Amino acid sequence: MEVTQDVDVGAQARVVAQQVEALLRDFRREVADVLCDLAGQVRQPGQVRVLFLDGYEFLRRGNARYEAWVWGLLCALLGVLPGLRVVVAGREAPRVALPALPAELEKFAAAESAAYLQARGIVDAQYQAALHTLTDGHPLLLDMAANLATGDAPLSLHEVETAPTVAQGRRPVTDWLYARILDRMPVEHRPLAEIAALLRRFDEDVMAALLPDSGETLHATSLLRAFTQTYPTWLRQHPSGGWGVHDLVGRARAAALRQQGPDTMRDFHHRAAAVWQARWERAARPDDLAEALYHAFWVDEAAAAAAWEQAVQEHTPVS
């Protein structure tokens, strides 16, 4: 269910208000249906259900009335359903007071890193300690390091101990890990990883259009399925549909290309802008136009800024 949607900010105030009210009604109806269905599952004594709300920051950035209504309903349900548990995860805290137990999800302690690596099949205590020092317990970086520590050509202890560490900044570590992961990737996965990291959002059709020697959505779908199973922490569901790559991975890929192949990077964004522009012209989805303008910006900042201004003047709702 999509919680936030854009309205035409260029329209008259009354039209905007009507659009917002319509979205609020739809939102409330969908959420109420979900929560009522959940309530029916926990009426019996001893039954416990957990409602997990992820990506909370998208609700947090929306209209405050959405948030207040959701929490009011949740608090009411929690008061009458002892078997209901609600877990909220996101990068931003709620704006409203909740009967909650807040927990900051921080980096792993050394023992937690060791337990995670042990579960991944990395049992040598010295190697575990070196990986923890390398990543400082950052979950995504530790996962990337664990991928490199297993498989056909694992990193040696010497490589890990002489690599950049988080003490020198997270960016050098991310770049170092990403470059080595790409080197060890199966040949068929590497183009997908390189392309996905430069896209804010993608799906099978976009990948089919951008992958070299592809053009077939079925082929892109098969690659994506295999890739998500191998690197599940890299990807996230995008609120506008499809997937997005974790921002740390995306920044590492962009930094590498800016240094090693700026012309290649510019050419890629030119092709990506054309793909999203074609989708916008076919379906007129504002989110697709936003992607086209984003990639156009990397090709020609001035032209993209002018196109954005024109879109706003034409009352096109761009996210």
Side-chain angles (χ1 to χ4, degrees):
M1 180 178 61
E2 188 171 326
V3 173
T4 57
Q5 296 185 41
D6 293 313
V7 296
D8 186 344
V9 296
Q12 295 180 351
R14 178 174 297 180
V15 175
V16 171
Q18 291 172 346
Q19 289 177 299
V20 170
E21 287 301 322
L23 291 174
L24 277 170
R25 285 193 299 271
D26 292 343
F27 173 77
R28 288 173 174 169
R29 182 176 60 251
E30 292 185 35
V31 171
D33 288 346
V34 170
L35 294 180
C36 287
D37 180 62
L38 181 65
Q41 300 179 34
V42 292
R43 286 177 180 171
Q44 300 301 321
Q47 289 185 321
V48 175
R49 292 291 185 274
V50 178
L51 176 62
F52 187 73
L53 303 179
D54 197 5
Y56 170 80
E57 62 270 15
F58 295 106
L59 178 61
R60 173 71 171 78
R61 295 169 191 170
N63 191 299
R65 293 171 62 190
Y66 288 133
E67 190 178 11
W69 182 83
V70 168
W71 295 130
L73 183 54
L74 284 176
C75 288
L77 288 174
L78 286 168
V80 297
L81 297 172
L84 179 62
R85 306 288 185 270
V86 179
V87 178
V88 180
R91 296 185 179 185
E92 300 176 23
R95 284 178 287 207
V96 293
L98 294 174
L101 297 173
E104 293 288 335
L105 299 182
E106 310 240 346
K107 61 187 181 182
F108 291 158
E112 293 168 326
S113 291
Y116 172 77
L117 294 171
Q118 187 85 21
R120 293 287 300 268
I122 302 166
V123 299
D124 182 85
Q126 187 179 2
Y127 198 58
Q128 291 174 352
L131 291 178
H132 176 76
T133 300
L134 171 70
T135 63
D136 197 30
H138 186 285
L140 177 66
L141 298 184
L142 192 64
D143 176 74
M144 294 171 73
N147 285 333
L148 290 170
T150 55
D152 296 332
L155 290 175
S156 69
L157 179 61
H158 175 73
E159 286 180 286
V160 175
E161 291 180 333
T162 57
T165 66
V166 171
Q168 300 167 260
R170 189 176 295 167
R171 178 65 171 275
V173 179
T174 308
D175 294 352
W176 187 87
L177 290 169
Y178 181 72
R180 279 148 187 80
I181 286 176
L182 281 184
D183 288 342
R184 288 163 170 76
M185 269 187 182
V187 174
E188 63 273 18
H189 284 175
R190 181 162 182 161
L192 188 149
E194 293 178 328
I195 288 172
L198 293 177
L199 294 165
R200 294 198 316 168
R201 176 167 68 92
F202 58 90
D203 56 23
E204 293 93 338
D205 292 335
V206 171
M207 276 297 171
L210 292 174
L211 279 171
D213 304 321
S214 177
E216 296 182 6
T217 301
L218 183 62
H219 173 63
T221 301
S222 176
L223 276 179
L224 268 175
R225 185 180 298 113
F227 187 80
T228 54
Q229 291 172 352
T230 308
Y231 306 99
T233 58
W234 284 33
L235 300 179
R236 57 180 174 79
Q237 292 287 328
H238 195 282
S240 297
W243 299 273
V245 167
H246 194 288
D247 51 3
L248 278 179
V249 177
R251 287 198 297 267
R253 169 64 174 152
L257 261 189
R258 275 196 296 269
Q259 295 175 5
Q260 301 167 11
D263 292 338
T264 300
M265 186 173 183
R266 192 176 302 108
D267 176 66
F268 170 81
H269 283 296
H270 179 77
R271 291 189 297 117
V275 169
W276 284 110
Q277 181 68 28
R279 286 197 23 167
W280 156 250
E281 292 172 359
R282 287 197 305 271
R285 293 186 68 243
D287 289 337
D288 294 343
L289 178 58
E291 299 305 317
L293 292 174
Y294 166 78
H295 291 288
F297 177 83
W298 287 96
V299 179
D300 187 330
E301 294 182 19
W308 186 280
E309 182 177 0
Q310 180 181 357
V312 172
Q313 291 175 348
E314 292 176 353
H315 310 315
T316 303
V318 177
S319 58

